[in-house]
Amino acid sequence: MPHTPLIATLVAGLGLAFILGTLANRLRLSPLVGYLLAGVLIGPFTPGFVADQALARQLAELGVILLMFGIGLHFSLHDLLSVRTIALPGAFGQMALVTSLGLIVTQVIGWPIGAGLVFGLALSVASTVVVLRALQEKRQLETDGGRIAVGWLVVEDVAMILALVLLPAFAGVLGGSANRAEPQNSEMLTFFEPHTISGALGLTLAKLAAFFALMAIVGRRVIPAILHYVAHTGSRELFRLAVLAIALGVAFGAAELFGVSFALGAFFAGMILAESQLSQRAAQETLPLRDAFAVLFFVSVGMLFNPMILVEQPLLVAATFLIIVIGNATAASAIAVMFGYSLPIAVTLGLSLAQIGEFSFILAGLGVELKLLPETGRDLVLAGAILSILINPLLFAGLDRLMPRLSRGPVRTEEEGRIDITPKLTITSLTNHAILVGYGRVGRLVAETLRNAGQPYLIVEERQVVADQLRAGGVDVISGNAAQPGLLEAANVNSAKWLISAIPNPFESGNFIEYARATNPKLEIIARAHSDAEVEYLKKLGANLIVMGEKEIARSISEHILSKINAPDTTIPSDSESRLTSE
């Protein structure tokens, strides 16, 4: 049976990504390096097997949609509006500065102004996937810097949608092909028609407004209602299918009906659903597919790269790379500092935006099609994107070392339009207390037990809305991820009695359990697990008690049955079989 292009692309892309990603991890590099190299190897510019580029890009779009939907599930409209005063002027200011740098470089080498504007604009838009992946890996998505970065990306996405609509209209003026922009006649009515500049801009703004209004008014009611109905059917399969159908359906509808990007449509769908109690479950159901297809995004980027550009235009590649990394990082960081934010937030934001991706490729391709940008310009954009994505994890690694020095200043936060200057992660005064990580279904019950027993406790919660509700109820809470640098110190882990991980992901728990054990050898650590492999993993990292849900359920059922049949000679599984304790 012959292999279809789809299957061949999936097998080659995921297989090579796994091999090279594992090798990169072994060499203490980011797996992203391996994913990008996998794309280069199966791309058209290297010998051997060549995967279908069109299919790879479509598969990558699925990864972008699921990733943005998942990010939206951890965000809220309040979070987005809380950073509007920095995200709106900041994003436009950073894009203007970097576009100017690109224009200057192209003027030096003799390109027309139109080519320089397209080239510079393509270098000013960060890759949503790369930014969010980096923030997730560093557990900084729920921090002030992470929220600003997401808001900043939303503004950039909207700006690029407008740019893609207006570029054909201005192509003739800028020296390119004006076929799409020329009006049919000079009558006054043409002012309102979509093929004019004003008509195209007005229609695009109207579509964007209609989409936002539809999601805020109708989506807020319909999307959660659908998932709540499906959840009550008791079918996990139907629930997972409903989540995927909503994510993909809203993204596709937003693109087809309103001209909104897949990424932005999926993000707003997730953000609307974030207000539902089912948001955490929805995030868990989409995680496996999200990770797999996100890998294909980086593979597809690698397939576009022609390594010969490094030999043919080394100076231009270097200039492009410097504009992307240093230009974007410096502009964004400087703007954040000007708005009163601390160095940790400013530098985190700057490094997050120090690369380019999907919108840059689309814009460069449109520029070539309109004869505004030479093909060399598109190759430079691709080379700069690859190099900036490769270097981004190393920049974040360097930030980890600098963070203790940068964190000495105050942090500016925004809430309901009010700006306060507050210390970052103030250390709690609690001692001999319990640190409870996660306030989901399990964490809520554990917190109730601790409260009824009169045991002092502190909650670490990623979701800002939940953290705010707990804080309003008088509960000691720290917003963020327990693996975030400095967070366990703020929770006073040195003087704590217990660390209880109530989050469902044991591998994420392992990140902070290992640190807590090294910091406080006397600490009793309790965690959750779903398999024997996870139990062993957490045990090696220093957990004292690992509770495995399925065995605890079986134990409770057995105890109930034995109490009813009154069989004293029958024994139930020992405690060591249902849970694992390491002294």
Side-chain angles (χ1 to χ4, degrees), residues 65 211 242-257 262 265-266 269:
I65 291 171
F211 170 71
V243 172
L244 293 174
I246 288 172
L248 298 175
V250 172
F252 182 78
E256 289 293 315
L257 300 177
F262 288 131

Side-chain angles (χ1 to χ4, degrees), residues 151-226:
W152 200 293
L153 289 170
V154 170
V155 175
E156 286 191 346
D157 280 358
V158 173
M160 286 305 300
I161 292 170
L162 296 176
L164 292 172
V165 170
L166 293 177
L167 191 59
F170 282 99
V173 178
L174 295 174
S177 173
N179 292 334
R180 301 186 187 184
E182 290 179 349
Q184 300 299 316
N185 54 61
S186 58
E187 296 181 4
M188 184 64 83
L189 288 176
T190 61
F191 184 84
F192 299 98
E193 293 180 4
H195 61 258
T196 64
I197 295 174
S198 56
L201 178 60
L203 182 62
T204 301
L205 291 175
K207 285 183 176 181
L208 286 171
F211 170 71
F212 295 147
L214 183 67
M215 292 302 296
I217 299 173
V218 180
R220 183 172 291 183
R221 295 177 179 272
V222 174
I223 293 176
I226 292 174

Side-chain angles (χ1 to χ4, degrees), residues 22-240:
T22 303
L23 180 60
N25 184 68
R26 182 76 175 177
L27 297 174
R28 298 183 180 276
L29 298 173
S30 170
L32 295 185
V33 176
Y35 306 157
L36 291 168
L37 291 178
V40 173
L41 291 179
I42 63 175
F45 304 105
T46 53
F49 172 77
V50 177
D52 190 311
Q53 284 184 288
L55 279 176
R57 283 195 294 270
Q58 292 183 41
L59 292 171
E61 285 286 5
L62 290 175
V64 174
I65 291 171
L66 294 176
L67 178 67
M68 289 302 294
F69 180 74
I71 297 303
L73 289 172
H74 292 88
F75 230 70
S76 68
L77 187 59
H78 176 269
D79 291 332
L80 193 61
L81 294 176
S82 69
V83 298
R84 65 188 182 278
T85 56
I86 173 66
L88 279 170
F92 284 115
Q94 170 247 323
M95 292 176 71
L97 289 172
V98 176
T99 300
S100 300
L101 291 176
L103 180 60
I104 292 172
V105 169
T106 56
Q107 288 295 290
V108 171
I109 62 176
W111 287 6
I113 291 180
L117 288 174
V118 174
F119 181 73
L121 191 59
L123 303 186
S124 69
V125 186
S127 168
T128 302
V129 178
V130 176
V131 172
L132 299 180
R133 191 68 175 259
L135 292 174
Q136 280 183 325
E137 288 181 355
K138 296 298 178 182
R139 307 294 188 268
Q140 294 179 355
L141 193 59
E142 301 294 328
T143 64
D144 290 332
R147 285 189 287 273
I148 294 172
V150 173
W152 200 293
L153 289 170
V154 170
V155 175
E156 286 191 346
D157 280 358
V158 173
M160 286 305 300
I161 292 170
L162 296 176
L164 292 172
V165 170
L166 293 177
L167 191 59
F170 282 99
V173 178
L174 295 174
S177 173
N179 292 334
R180 301 186 187 184
E182 290 179 349
Q184 300 299 316
N185 54 61
S186 58
E187 296 181 4
M188 184 64 83
L189 288 176
T190 61
F191 184 84
F192 299 98
E193 293 180 4
H195 61 258
T196 64
I197 295 174
S198 56
L201 178 60
L203 182 62
T204 301
L205 291 175
K207 285 183 176 181
L208 286 171
F211 170 71
F212 295 147
L214 183 67
M215 292 302 296
I217 299 173
V218 180
R220 183 172 291 183
R221 295 177 179 272
V222 174
I223 293 176
I226 292 174
L227 279 190
H228 277 280
Y229 171 79
V230 176
H232 282 98
T233 65
S235 172
R236 183 176 182 180
E237 179 182 343
L238 282 178
F239 184 84
R240 184 184 293 116

